[in-house]
Amino acid sequence: MMTTLTALCTFAAVGILLLILAYISWRGVGSLSFRFLIDSPRPVGEGGGIGNAILGSLVLLALASALGLPIGIGVGVYLSEIGSGRLAAGVRFITDTLTGIPSIVTGVFVYAIVVLPMKHFSALSGGIALALVMIPIVARTTEEMLNLVPHSLREGALALGAPQWRVTLGVVLPAAASGIATGAMLAIARVSGETAPLLFTAFGSRFFSYYLDQPIASLTVLIYNYAISPYDEWHAQAWAATLVLVTLILGINIVVRILTRRRF
Amino acid sequence: MSVARTDESLVVAGKWASWRHTLSPTGNLGDAIFRLLMLLVALFVVALVIAMVFALSTDSMLAIRRFGFRFLTSTNWNPIKGEFGALPFIYGTVMSSLIALVISVPLSLGIAVFLVEQAPPFIARPIGFLVELLAAIPSVVYGLWGIFVLAPFLRVYVEPVLARLFGWTPLFTGPITGIGLFTGGIILAIMVTPIISAVVRDVLAAVPSTQREAALALGATKWETIRVVLVNGAPGIAGAVILGLGRALGETMAVTMLIGNRPEVSLSLFAPSYTIASAIANEFTEATGDLYLSALVELGLILFLVTFIVNGFARFLVWNVTRRTGGVGRAA
């Protein structure tokens, strides 16, 4: 009896997931074509595509990774290898709590410190906003991966006379590299679905652009704008863009899962 | 006098020595540089939080000075007249999150119990992964799906039934549109379920198996054993629920697309409402005038402080449980 009930809960959740994925595939496949993937948006009735949004998302993700990954990994190294006592506990607590800060608030913050001084929306501010979302996630997965490295490895290297920085950079980090890489992939997957922090930082654009000081398009903002538009054609394009985005995100998640299955 | 000075310099020297020891226990210069660098990076995260509070406070000062405490209690949000009261947003945020919790807490508990206590590993692993995948779907995609699938479904099949059954309460009255507090709450429930159930799974897994064995040995049934496990993990489960609450409070895109975006306080769950996060998302780029923008930033500040406290409290609860039982917890 109880097992039936709990199993029902579980399969309700899984059912909703499959329902959503099936619906996205069904609606998205119709408008999907090679032209759609490389074209830029056009006025209603003339087709057009999401090429500029895909490029924009890639630029934003590259920026976010370049800024967020080193800092996030650095914090993880500090928490696992260096920090101890109250200070480390405080940093860990703040990092954890930062994970739960709504990304829209991050957007407002970046608007205040980057967009206002620059006086216009820019790809740079969007990248910074995504990086801020990324840092606490990367920090915590890095710490967990470093904690999995056996102590004997560190002791062995130290006993050979290596200073701590060489032990960390030359022995511990390489040993945890694949774990840190998968953590980074998951963080990238997570921020590639972020919309709220981009609304008033990267803002969006209807043209191809890779200039960091100009507004830039992104898949998520495009989906949002098309979804709330009154045009059926744009709704169809929103579904196709969603199919692309969700395939990318779930693809990363599934690949990471397969790669890490042996370890956990 | 001279004695005091020696004491002082001794203290300074001692402090310097302890600092030098913290920076580089081995006395190696490379270590000192490396450790200092990592320390600075870690302090950057702390500075980030301080900078957030500072920037949000300065930019909302105009609204704070103008309205003071009234900002939180006034229901009047009228950008044209320059009147800003946050109560409709606070109400919408709290109510939509409560609806989400009412639905997702029992669901998440069921999922966690099934995956940890009942299902064999070859079922629990892939199914658990699928439930986690729900958390990987972006908010904006939930919004899109909500607009075109969930909202019409609720409008046609669910809300009329609720209105017929519970129409005598003020909660289920008024026109049925499919867009409103109820739909926003349901989409939030779907979005926080994977988060709550994942943490509850960790908490249940951290309950020592001796507890289960003891209960079984005393002749408890399977269900009674599960109750023992749940009671044992209760503080951690509370933490998981509060963590989900924090997520629901700040969730933006899906709610913005489904809640109707009207700054009114209405008892009916079918009525359109507005949340803090969706007000910022909708109105920030359109805000004309410093006071309007400042009021929106103040909304952001409120959301930041509330989610920070809620999350901090939740982490504290979850940590305590996982640390006490020495399961998934790490040395903190």
Side-chain angles (χ1 to χ4, degrees):
Chain A
M1 175 57 199
M2 278 314 295
T3 314
T4 331
L5 208 63
T6 54
L8 263 178
C9 289
T10 311
F11 289 107
V14 175
I16 287 172
L17 173 78
L18 298 180
L19 215 67
I20 293 176
L21 293 184
Y23 197 81
I24 291 171
S25 318
W26 176 58
R27 288 290 301 264
V29 149
S31 321
L32 212 54
S33 67
F34 182 65
R35 266 210 77 74
F36 179 74
L37 293 178
I38 56 165
D39 217 353
S40 57
R42 301 222 176 126
V44 178
E46 294 178 28
I50 56 168
N52 69 326
I54 293 178
L55 176 72
S57 278
L58 291 178
V59 169
L60 286 170
L61 286 179
L63 254 175
S65 306
L67 295 169
L69 289 183
I71 297 178
I73 293 175
V75 175
V77 168
Y78 171 80
L79 287 176
S80 164
E81 304 297 308
I82 293 166
S84 59
R86 281 227 188 117
L87 183 61
V91 170
R92 186 178 291 115
F93 184 75
I94 285 187
T95 312
D96 261 358
T97 317
L98 262 184
T99 323
I101 294 300
S103 53
I104 184 109
V105 175
T106 312
V108 174
F109 172 64
V110 172
Y111 180 87
I113 62 158
V114 182
V115 177
L116 276 183
M118 281 176 77
K119 295 206 165 45
H120 56 86
F121 302 113
S122 62
L124 181 67
S125 58
I128 292 175
L130 292 186
L132 293 186
V133 176
M134 222 168 176
I135 288 170
I137 309 174
V138 176
R140 291 296 299 196
T141 47
T142 303
E143 189 202 353
E144 276 168 33
M145 292 306 145
L146 292 178
N147 282 343
L148 289 180
V149 176
H151 266 287
S152 52
L153 219 58
R154 295 183 183 88
E155 285 155 10
L158 286 170
L160 287 172
Q164 193 195 9
W165 67 274
R166 295 206 57 182
V167 175
T168 305
L169 295 182
V171 177
V172 181
L173 274 176
S178 64
I180 294 173
T182 52
M185 296 279 287
L186 285 182
I188 291 172
R190 158 84 199 277
V191 300
S192 61
E194 284 289 354
T195 318
L198 297 178
L199 289 174
F200 27 86
T201 54
F203 190 66
S205 156
R206 301 202 40 90
F207 309 101
F208 272 97
S209 161
Y210 45 82
Y211 299 107
L212 296 188
D213 62 339
Q214 294 299 319
I216 199 166
S218 62
L219 273 174
T220 49
V221 173
L222 176 131
I223 293 170
Y224 174 60
N225 287 332
Y226 280 13
I228 59 172
S229 77
Y231 312 113
D232 281 341
E233 187 187 2
W234 280 10
H235 295 162
Q237 294 192 1
W239 283 109
T242 300
L243 181 59
V244 174
L245 181 69
V246 169
T247 309
L248 172 87
I249 292 173
L250 292 194
I252 293 178
N253 273 280
I254 291 168
V255 167
V256 163
R257 176 73 174 192
I258 292 170
L259 288 179
T260 55
R261 199 169 46 187
R262 269 166 285 128
R263 215 164 327 125
F264 299 106
Chain B
M1 193 64 194
S2 70
V3 176
R5 194 175 299 152
T6 336
D7 272 4
E8 218 166 79
S9 59
L10 266 180
V11 169
V12 171
K15 268 191 181 158
W16 172 235
S18 90
W19 258 103
R20 235 177 40 187
H21 184 77
T22 321
L23 269 184
S24 172
T26 53
N28 182 298
L29 180 67
D31 272 4
I33 296 171
F34 175 66
R35 290 170 71 95
L36 186 65
L37 208 64
M38 291 299 121
L39 177 69
L40 288 179
V41 172
L43 289 181
F44 172 79
V45 176
V46 182
L48 197 65
V49 174
I50 297 169
M52 274 185 164
V53 177
F54 183 75
L56 294 176
S57 315
T58 5
D59 283 9
S60 57
M61 212 30 96
L62 198 61
I64 295 176
R65 288 238 173 82
R66 181 73 164 274
F67 303 112
F69 195 67
R70 192 154 48 97
F71 188 73
L72 299 176
T73 54
S74 163
T75 58
N76 190 9
W77 182 268
N78 191 336
I80 297 162
K81 287 191 180 158
E83 282 295 321
F84 298 100
L87 194 61
F89 308 110
I90 296 172
Y91 176 80
T93 307
V94 171
M95 278 307 278
S96 57
S97 302
L98 282 185
I99 297 172
L101 287 188
V102 165
I103 299 168
S104 76
V105 167
L107 200 65
S108 307
L109 280 181
I111 294 171
V113 166
F114 180 74
L115 292 177
V116 176
E117 305 289 332
Q118 296 167 332
F122 73 93
I123 294 180
R125 276 167 152 261
I127 297 290
F129 176 61
L130 286 180
V131 175
E132 280 167 30
L133 272 191
L134 268 179
I137 295 181
S139 181
V140 69
V141 174
Y142 277 112
L144 181 71
W145 181 77
I147 289 179
F148 293 103
V149 183
L150 184 67
F153 173 79
L154 292 177
R155 183 183 64 225
V156 176
Y157 297 105
V158 179
E159 293 186 349
V161 177
L162 285 174
R164 210 175 314 131
L165 290 176
F166 303 105
W168 47 273
T169 64
L171 289 178
F172 299 98
T173 51
I176 289 168
T177 58
I179 294 290
L181 208 47
F182 184 68
T183 313
I186 300 235
I187 205 80
L188 277 179
I190 300 175
M191 296 177 73
V192 298
T193 295
I195 294 156
I196 299 180
S197 65
V199 181
V200 175
R201 273 170 71 191
D202 282 352
V203 168
L204 294 188
V207 173
S209 51
T210 47
Q211 295 276 347
R212 298 181 182 85
E213 286 155 14
L216 286 171
L218 286 170
T221 61
K222 267 215 114 171
W223 165 231
E224 284 163 343
T225 311
I226 289 171
R227 259 178 47 195
V228 169
V229 173
L230 286 177
V231 168
N232 208 285
I237 294 172
V241 173
I242 299 171
L243 214 58
L245 173 69
R247 182 57 64 93
L249 291 173
E251 203 32 79
T252 311
M253 300 317 297
V255 182
T256 306
M257 293 158 91
L258 292 170
I259 204 163
N261 299 330
R262 193 187 293 166
E264 276 170 18
V265 176
S266 164
L267 262 185
S268 171
L269 301 185
F270 294 157
S273 183
Y274 219 158
T275 69
I276 294 179
S278 45
I280 301 172
N282 266 328
E283 302 186 12
F284 205 82
T285 49
E286 295 163 7
T288 47
D290 292 341
L291 187 64
Y292 192 177
L293 201 63
S294 171
L296 286 171
V297 177
E298 190 179 351
L299 284 180
L301 179 67
I302 294 171
L303 191 60
F304 175 86
L305 294 177
V306 169
T307 48
F308 197 85
I309 293 167
V310 164
N311 273 296
F313 185 52
R315 296 283 171 190
F316 175 74
L317 286 175
V318 175
W319 265 13
N320 263 351
V321 170
T322 46
R323 192 169 43 186
R324 186 187 45 168
T325 51
V328 281
R330 40 215 150 221

